[in-house]
Amino acid sequence: MTSLALLYLKAGLTGFARHGDVLPSAPLTADVTVDRAHLAAYNEVCGFRVGENLPVTYPHVLGFPLQLRLMTDRAFPFALPGLVHVENRVTQSCALTATDPLALAVHAENLRPHDRGTQFDVVTTAAVDGEVVWTGTSTYLKRGGGAGSGAGDHTAPPRPTGVWRVPADIGRRYAAVSGDRNPIHLHPLAAKAFGFPRAIAHGMWTKARCLAAFEGRLPDACTVEVRFKAPVLLPATVDFSTDGGHFALHHPKSGKPHLTGAFPHSA
């Protein structure tokens, strides 16, 4: 695949020329096999135990090069810089292992209005022997043009079941295993150029870190959905809470949510 670094360079150089309101219809595909060293590195960064089974979030990383190619293609209507990852939903029908050869496909769909702009979904599927066994849907927000206020969540936070220290380098460490080298995650100065006071953690790292807390208790067939509420500024201390099929990360002082999640369908 084309170097991810070159794709980010392309995104920065051509973003000003993006326009339109039609998502490309053709999917991008690739056949992949799991590199065990890469899987082990991902598990270590996200807090999973090292083993043969793939964490439910791991196929997202395998599909990331295709996602990036899709969103940096000349036909894609929105510039990659400035897009906000607001939701992610993953469904798998069975456990996946490091020995499973995966056929990946990525496409964009469901362009729709949002009260702060425009939303769309990037859908990644993984198939084994011709059967789709994993689907990940990432919802992105293109800000601007909406009529809503974008009011936040002001409900009282639940009592934390854990307090996590998030190190300053987690953005760079996760970028090394995920390929997501968006500058807002890598260095404070780069993050400031996009309006953040410090570098921020990847949303998909926060989701994976939360799911690592359920390791051994999450069914092989399940759906896990999250909403990314507010960035985690690095370094950070966050409150983790869980109640049945729900979980969340909150700021320990303000009580504002960073992430809320649920297991709406588990077998």
Side-chain angles (χ1 to χ4, degrees), residues 15 26 40 52 55 63 69 75 89 95 112 118 132 156 163 173 177 188 208 218 252 254:
E52 282 291 295
R69 280 180 52 195
R89 179 184 178 96
R112 58 200 185 274
T118 302
V132 173
V163 178
R173 291 171 57 200
V177 298
L218 190 63
S254 70

Side-chain angles (χ1 to χ4, degrees), residues 50-63:
V50 175
E52 282 291 295
N53 282 7
L54 307 185
V56 68
T57 48
Y58 186 70
H60 174 88
V61 170
L62 296 179

Side-chain angles (χ1 to χ4, degrees), residues 90-106:
V90 168
T91 297
Q92 69 175 24
S93 59
C94 61
L96 297 175
T97 72
T99 60
D100 290 323
L102 301 177
L104 302 179
V106 173

Side-chain angles (χ1 to χ4, degrees), residues 15-24 74-79 111 118 120 142:
F16 68 91
R18 303 301 176 89
H19 57 83
D21 56 4
V22 177
L23 296 172
R74 190 178 300 273
F76 202 78
F78 308 122
L111 189 67
T118 302
F120 63 91
K142 172 66 172 68

Side-chain angles (χ1 to χ4, degrees), residues 16 23 40 62 76 98 119 131 134 138 140 211 220:
F16 68 91
L23 296 172
L62 296 179
F76 202 78
Q119 283 190 152
E131 179 183 356
W134 185 96
S138 291
Y140 289 91
L211 295 186
D220 292 338

Side-chain angles (χ1 to χ4, degrees), residues 80-264:
L80 184 63
L83 292 179
V84 182
H85 193 183
V86 293
E87 296 180 18
N88 178 266
R89 179 184 178 96
V90 168
T91 297
Q92 69 175 24
S93 59
C94 61
L96 297 175
T97 72
T99 60
D100 290 323
L102 301 177
L104 302 179
V106 173
H107 71 276
E109 66 179 26
N110 199 16
L111 189 67
R112 58 200 185 274
H114 183 272
D115 62 4
R116 288 180 291 165
T118 302
Q119 283 190 152
F120 63 91
D121 297 328
V122 174
V123 180
T124 303
T125 61
V128 177
D129 295 330
E131 179 183 356
V132 173
V133 294
W134 185 96
T135 301
T137 302
S138 291
T139 300
Y140 289 91
L141 171 66
K142 172 66 172 68
R143 289 177 290 194
S149 63
D153 186 345
H154 298 294
T155 59
R159 183 183 297 274
T161 55
V163 178
W164 298 343
R165 304 290 193 273
V166 184
D169 67 347
I170 198 64
R172 294 187 292 274
R173 291 171 57 200
Y174 184 77
V177 298
S178 69
D180 186 350
R181 297 184 181 277
N182 188 322
I184 62 177
H185 304 300
L186 304 181
H187 195 277
L189 292 179
K192 285 181 180 179
F194 290 91
F196 299 101
R198 304 195 300 275
I200 67 174
H202 295 73
M204 288 304 293
W205 176 85
T206 62
K207 179 175 183 176
R209 180 64 185 88
C210 288
L211 295 186
F214 295 96
E215 194 166 20
R217 293 178 287 161
L218 190 63
D220 292 338
C222 63
T223 293
V224 187
E225 57 188 26
V226 298
R227 292 185 176 184
F228 304 114
K229 298 286 192 174
V232 176
L233 301 175
L234 301 174
T237 298
V238 295
D239 286 346
F240 171 74
S241 61
T242 179
D243 178 16
H246 296 82
F247 58 96
L249 291 180
H250 285 82
H251 190 282
K253 293 183 178 179
S254 70
K256 292 182 178 180
H258 294 296
L259 171 153
T260 59
F263 307 105

